[in-house]
């Protein structure tokens, strides 16, 4: 695996990235290699925050860490848009919801044709390392989400640190193997359901969002290992997040006022 950091189209890594995008877009639709793996990192990754880094892995296992911090290079943004909006290139990602929400609302990119590895897993709300381990694939040892408690703006630091590069690149390098493992033992019916759920996840940008919410008793609201908050999300069809930057504020993605009201009532208990 080789890792390239991309900020400008004028650099060697930028030219290589654009060339890789053009090559994969030119492949025949039934070509097995017509896929990329990706993941986004940001501050409060969603329409409410920023996209800082987009990690993109090509079938050659070349990984490009595309720097979207500040104002993205127009040519690089164009290539990312063409790649992600392509209906013929499969985008492999684990839980694409906040990634797709941020890309759409902040950069006008609608991600199409997604294989969401969380949707193909048998246990809901499993993190990437749990799903990798379940499928016998080495986990990403560079991941350390406790860092957000110390520095919620972790991904905005420049230049990228060794830890940031290892974390961002390792998140995508195993996704092809994970996709292959998931497809190797799935039934046709389960595959259709997982594909439909993947599409639903990639369309989260159509949900409403309510910000600045407070939780009276966070421990009780979240529950042991997040059980209560997951149950509430399933019951109401919402997504509930704590704002890592503010620390004590929460935001909720919802489809209708009744579901939002249900979440607000639980938050006040």
């Amino acid at each position: 695996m080789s890792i390239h950091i991309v900020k400008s189209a004028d650099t060697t890594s930028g030219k290589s990235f654009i060339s890789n995008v053009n090559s994969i877009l030119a492949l025949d639709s039934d070509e097995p290699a017509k896929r990329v793996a990706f993941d986004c990192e940001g501050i409060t990754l969603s329409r409410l925050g920023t996209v800082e880094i987009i990690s993109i892995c090509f079938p050659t296992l070349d990984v490009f860490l595309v720097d979207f911090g500040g104002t993205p290079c127009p040519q690089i943004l164009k290539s990312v848009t063409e790649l992600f909006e392509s209906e013929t290139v499969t985008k492999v990602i684990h839980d694409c919801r906040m990634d797709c929400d941020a890309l759409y609302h902040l950069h006008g990119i609608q991600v199409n044709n997604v294989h969401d590895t969380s949707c193909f897993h048998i246990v809901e709300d499993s993190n990437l390392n749990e799903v990798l381990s379940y499928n016998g694939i080495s986990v990403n040892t560079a991941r350390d989400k406790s860092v957000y408690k110390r520095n919620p703006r972790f991904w905005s630091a420049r230049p990228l640190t060794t830890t940031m590069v290892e974390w961002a690149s390792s998140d995508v390098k195993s996704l092809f193997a994970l996709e292959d493992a998931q497809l190797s033992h799935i039934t046709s019916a389960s595959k259709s359901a997982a594909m439909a759920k993947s599409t639903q996840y990639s369309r989260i940008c159509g949900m409403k969002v309510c910000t600045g919410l407070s939780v009276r008793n966070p421990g009780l609201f979240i529950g042991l290992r997040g059980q209560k908050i997951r149950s509430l999300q399933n019951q109401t069809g919402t997504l509930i997040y704590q704002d890592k930057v503010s620390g004590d504020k929460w935001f909720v993605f919802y489809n209708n006022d009744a579901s939002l009201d249900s979440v607000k009532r639980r938050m006040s208990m």
Side-chain angles (χ1 to χ4, degrees):
M1 179 182 71
S2 57
I3 303 171
H4 315 268
I5 298 174
V6 178
K7 182 64 177 178
S8 169
D10 296 331
T11 62
T12 300
S13 60
K15 292 175 182 177
S16 179
F17 173 71
I18 292 172
S19 176
N20 272 270
V21 170
N22 291 338
S23 294
I24 203 165
L25 289 173
L27 292 175
D28 293 334
S29 297
D30 58 353
E31 172 63 48
K34 202 171 176 71
R35 60 179 180 171
V36 294
F38 88 96
D39 184 48
C40 296
E41 307 292 353
I43 303 168
T44 312
L45 183 64
S46 66
R47 70 187 74 174
L48 304 174
T50 66
V51 177
E52 297 292 332
I53 298 292
I54 306 177
S55 309
I56 302 176
C57 183
F58 290 89
T60 56
L61 297 187
D62 285 316
V63 175
F64 291 84
L65 304 184
V66 184
D67 191 346
F68 261 43
T71 302
C73 168
Q75 295 113 303
I76 298 297
L77 174 60
K78 180 176 181 291
S79 284
V80 172
T81 301
E82 291 174 350
L83 178 64
F84 284 1
E85 292 193 343
S86 169
E87 294 282 1
T88 61
V89 178
T90 300
K91 271 67 70 173
V92 187
I93 181 174
H94 185 81
D95 194 351
C96 69
R97 289 174 290 187
M98 290 298 98
D99 306 72
C100 290
D101 188 71
L103 289 169
Y104 181 81
H105 287 280
L106 302 178
H107 299 289
I109 301 172
Q110 175 65 73
V111 184
N112 294 316
N113 192 8
V114 172
H115 175 112
D116 192 315
T117 56
S118 71
C119 297
F120 281 76
H121 191 55
I122 60 173
V123 181
E124 285 191 38
D125 298 311
S126 298
N127 64 42
L128 176 57
N129 275 347
E130 290 170 340
V131 179
L132 289 170
S133 180
Y134 177 87
N135 287 275
I137 301 170
S138 297
V139 302
N140 181 359
T141 57
R143 292 175 66 89
D144 178 19
K145 291 203 169 184
S146 67
V147 72
Y148 298 133
K149 294 180 181 180
R150 304 186 301 272
N151 180 16
R153 298 184 179 276
F154 174 77
W155 290 104
S156 64
R158 296 295 183 275
L160 299 180
T161 65
T162 300
T163 297
M164 296 167 77
V165 171
E166 290 179 353
W167 182 339
S169 58
S170 295
D171 262 357
V172 294
K173 71 176 184 180
S174 298
L175 286 175
F176 292 140
L178 179 54
E179 180 195 25
D180 291 340
Q182 290 179 329
L183 292 177
S184 69
H185 54 68
I186 197 169
T187 64
S188 296
S190 295
K191 180 181 178 181
S192 295
M195 290 173 63
K197 190 173 182 180
S198 293
T199 299
Q200 178 187 353
Y201 273 26
S202 69
R203 296 296 186 267
I204 187 182
C205 48
M207 296 181 77
K208 304 173 186 177
V209 64
C210 182
T211 64
L213 299 173
S214 299
V215 174
R216 183 176 182 180
N217 189 331
L220 181 63
F221 179 70
I222 296 170
L224 181 64
R225 297 180 179 176
Q227 291 178 349
K228 287 190 175 180
I229 196 171
R230 285 196 297 271
S231 176
L232 180 59
Q233 289 180 136
N234 291 334
Q235 292 170 13
T236 58
T238 60
L239 288 171
I240 305 167
Y241 295 94
Q242 187 173 18
D243 188 337
K244 295 183 179 70
V245 176
S246 68
D248 61 345
K249 296 299 181 182
W250 295 68
F251 56 98
V252 178
F253 286 83
Y254 66 100
N255 286 309
N256 57 71
D257 292 342
S259 62
L260 176 61
D261 290 341
S262 295
V263 173
K264 286 181 175 179
R265 285 195 295 272
R266 193 72 64 86
M267 286 179 160
S268 64
M269 295 175 62

